[in-house]
Amino acid sequence: MQVPHIDGEICVSCGICAYVCPAGVIEVKSAPRVVKPEACIDGCMECVDNCPTLAIEIVRQ
Ligand code: SF4
Ligand code: SF4
């Protein structure tokens, strides 16, 4: 399965990734967290494409 990996060093906690994710995989409070990795949709890439700081990559597990 694929899951998003967020680089906390370059993330600015804007919340866009959680907003654009159609599957509720990411939650952003003070910092983003992957809360439902099993729901990530293969090939979606919305979070990666919309992150303003390029902090997200999709990794295969
Ligand atoms: S969109 Fe990018 S910068 Fe914004 S909270 Fe998500 S990972 Fe962080
Ligand atoms: S790839 Fe798509 S489904 Fe998976 S976390 Fe990113 S926005 Fe959500």
Side-chain angles (χ1 to χ4, degrees):
M1 87 178 178
Q2 66 163 35
V3 293
H5 174 264
I6 299 168
D7 185 341
E9 295 285 313
I10 51 178
C11 168
V12 294
S13 299
C14 68
I16 292 173
C17 54
Y19 181 75
V20 300
C21 177
V25 173
I26 305 168
E27 182 180 279
V28 176
K29 288 186 176 164
S30 56
R33 268 191 325 130
V34 176
V35 292
K36 271 204 301 181
E38 71 284 355
C40 185
I41 301 164
D42 197 24
C44 161
M45 302 294 279
E46 283 294 319
C47 57
V48 174
D49 291 345
N50 286 284
C51 175
T53 63
L54 306 179
I56 309 178
E57 63 178 354
I58 297 297
V59 295
R60 303 243 165 225
Q61 288 190 335

